[in-house]
Structures are given as C-alpha cells and as structure tokens.
C-alpha cells in the first residue's frame, strides 16, 4: 500500500537551513506528483511546493520561492525539501503527500516531521 514517511525535522536557528526527507513505498516517486504542505498549531494547512512526475516544480505559495526547493532521488524513492533562510514563522509540522497533478489535492500523506525555527 502507499506509504510516505517524513524525517529530518528538528530545531534550527533563524537564518539556518534544513533538509527534510520523504521516503515513499507502494509506488515510485517519479510516477506521481509529490507535494509538501505544512501545518502550524492553530493554523490551516499551507501548501509549500510540489514536484511532478516529469520533474517540474510548482510552488503552491509564491512566498516560498527563493528559499525552499524540492528534489527527488529515484533510486532511493525519496523526495527532499530543502529549506534555507528559515524564519520563526516557518515553524510547523511538514508533511509530504501524493498530489497527482500538483494541484494541491492530496490523496495520501505521512505523519509529518516537526520543524522548529528558534534561537
């Protein structure tokens, strides 16, 4: 069955960088769009960005451009979210999800990994 497992979250200082991973099983990451979204306590879910099966990148929110990037390793069946110049407001649980056409309609998602940006 489809399974997504995020890892790599943690505590990072403002201005720092962090890379979180999404290991997939039950399908191959180059056959389906994979998106990242985040959710902070008391806040609504917020889309971050998505990589399509063809490798093109879609930002759900323009504010992430220039700071967040997405990549994948087909051999490891893993998608990565690289986050740079982190701010306190980036603190949230980050989830990866299947998103067939990168439209923000998620079908399966993992349990998430906590990212905390604080000094």
């Amino acid at each position: 069955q489809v399974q997504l497992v995020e890892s790599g979250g943690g505590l990072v200082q403002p201005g720092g960088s962090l890379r979180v991973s999404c290991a997939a099983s039950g399908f191959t990451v180059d056959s389906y769009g994979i998106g990242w979204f985040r959710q902070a306590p008391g806040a609504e879910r917020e889309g971050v960005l998505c990589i399509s099966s063809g490798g093109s990148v879609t930002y759900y929110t323009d504010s992430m451009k220039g700071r967040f990037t997405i990549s994948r390793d087909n051999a490891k069946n893993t998608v990565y979210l690289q986050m740079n110049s982190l701010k306190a407001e980036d603190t949230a649980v980050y989830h990866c999800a299947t998103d067939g056409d990168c439209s923000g309609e998620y079908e399966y998602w993992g349990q998430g990994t906590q990212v905390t940006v604080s000094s």
Side-chain angles (χ1 to χ4, degrees):
Q1 71 276 19
V2 172
Q3 189 172 16
L4 298 162
V5 179
E6 302 91 340
S7 63
L11 175 65
V12 61
Q13 292 188 340
S17 298
L18 195 66
R19 189 181 78 163
V20 293
S21 303
C22 172
S25 59
F27 71 104
T28 57
V29 294
D30 60 350
S31 65
Y32 222 70
I34 302 293
W36 285 91
F37 66 89
R38 67 187 186 184
Q39 190 155 24
E44 292 189 358
R45 175 188 298 179
E46 180 181 29
V48 180
L49 73 171
C50 181
I51 185 167
S52 72
S53 58
S56 60
V57 176
T58 299
Y59 284 87
Y60 297 123
T61 309
D62 286 345
S63 63
M64 310 295 179
K65 290 182 179 179
R67 296 196 301 126
F68 291 9
T69 58
I70 191 171
S71 62
R72 70 184 180 208
D73 185 330
N74 294 337
K76 295 183 179 180
N77 213 33
T78 298
V79 174
Y80 303 98
L81 175 65
Q82 177 69 43
M83 301 178 285
N84 300 323
S85 302
L86 283 162
K87 308 173 184 179
E89 51 264 43
D90 294 319
T91 295
V93 177
Y94 284 74
H95 301 262
C96 62
T98 57
D99 183 357
D101 57 1
C102 287
S103 64
E105 294 189 10
Y106 311 120
E107 295 132 333
Y108 301 94
W109 54 90
Q111 83 289 346
T113 186
Q114 175 72 47
V115 173
T116 302
V117 184
S118 175
S119 56

